[in-house]
Amino acid sequence: MEKIKLAIIYYSSTGTNFQLSKWAEEAAIEADADIKRLKFPETAPQEAIDANDAWKKFSESSENQNEAEVTLDDLEWADAIIFSIPTRYGNLPSQVQAFFDTTGGLWFEGKLANKIVSGMTSAMNPHGGQESTLQSLYKTMIHWGCIIVPPAYTFEDSFKAGGNPYGTSTTSTMEGQVKDDVENAVKMQAKRTVEMTKRFLGVSEMVETNP
């Protein structure tokens, strides 16, 4: 079977979700997926970015500047998507919602349906809205017709990384540094997403060839 096509799409203002996306990419490569790692376009006004030293520093860094931005074609290409986004008052960042608001055409044509989706998130404190942010993300995915694959409690590191069954979540510093040990949880979630996508596509083939 051909490699499954996985898009890892993140938004990161200070670097936390950038790092989570890189860990997910490492694991997905090990799981033999064809990967695109992409960022949501920045929509915040420059004055807002300049007012936050950590945000400004990461925004101007070469690692951020060299990252490709997600397009609608990337969503259509993917068999599976892993989102990594920070929480904003328990909701999606405006940058993420702005992009989602452009997907109506793909949704109307049914081109977002039946994609495997999993989400990760971060906040500055342990109860900063991580679970409700992932639930907000998944509500959009339900409208798209996606198949949500959370980590739940399918591996031990789910508990070590905050015990959130909806998706790996972490606390971070103002400078974007991850404060708790979530690398293994991120990698296990990425591998689970790839594996469930392989199973889903494999079952589809079996149904077609063995009616």
Side-chain angles (χ1 to χ4, degrees):
M1 191 177 80
E2 293 183 3
K3 291 184 177 182
I4 68 114
K5 294 173 288 187
L6 172 67
I8 301 171
I9 308 173
Y10 73 92
Y11 175 73
S12 195
S13 56
T14 59
T16 300
N17 287 275
F18 169 80
Q19 179 61 69
L20 298 186
S21 75
K22 287 180 72 72
W23 285 334
E25 180 182 35
E26 291 174 12
I29 290 172
E30 292 180 5
D32 198 32
D34 185 8
I35 303 160
K36 290 184 180 182
R37 194 171 60 81
L38 306 154
K39 66 179 180 180
F40 286 99
E42 182 60 81
T43 60
Q46 190 61 46
E47 54 267 29
I49 298 173
D50 291 343
N52 183 313
D53 289 340
W55 192 356
K56 185 174 186 291
K57 180 179 178 181
F58 181 73
S59 176
E60 295 176 349
S61 67
S62 59
E63 57 186 4
N64 178 60
Q65 294 286 339
N66 292 333
E67 294 287 279
E69 293 184 346
V70 64
T71 68
L72 296 179
D73 288 341
D74 296 317
L75 293 184
E76 187 173 353
W77 168 85
D79 298 315
I81 306 170
I82 295 175
F83 291 103
S84 188
I85 57 175
T87 180
R88 292 292 184 268
Y89 304 114
N91 288 302
L92 302 179
S94 60
Q95 295 83 350
V96 176
Q97 189 61 57
F99 181 77
F100 284 172
D101 287 346
T102 71
T103 63
L106 288 180
W107 165 81
F108 185 77
E109 295 174 7
K111 293 181 177 179
L112 298 175
N114 299 329
K115 295 182 184 294
I116 306 296
V117 168
S118 200
M120 305 182 294
T121 191
S122 66
M124 287 182 59
N125 53 303
H127 302 288
Q130 290 98 324
E131 291 189 359
S132 60
T133 296
L134 291 173
Q135 290 171 339
S136 295
L137 170 68
Y138 291 154
K139 282 190 293 185
T140 298
M141 298 302 104
I142 290 169
H143 280 267
W144 284 7
C146 295
I147 299 164
I148 299 168
V149 176
Y153 299 118
T154 57
F155 47 89
E156 184 178 353
D157 286 317
S158 295
F159 292 96
K160 295 179 181 178
N164 177 2
Y166 303 97
T168 301
S169 61
T170 184
T171 53
S172 61
T173 66
M174 281 289 291
E175 293 75 28
Q177 297 173 324
V178 179
K179 291 167 64 176
D180 46 13
D181 182 15
V182 298
E183 180 177 355
N184 287 339
V186 168
K187 290 183 174 180
M188 290 301 295
Q189 182 173 349
K191 289 179 179 178
R192 172 173 163 79
T193 303
V194 172
E195 176 59 28
M196 292 300 105
T197 306
K198 288 179 179 179
R199 291 191 189 186
F200 177 72
L201 295 179
V203 167
S204 296
E205 291 176 0
M206 287 177 62
V207 170
E208 292 172 3
T209 56
N210 298 287

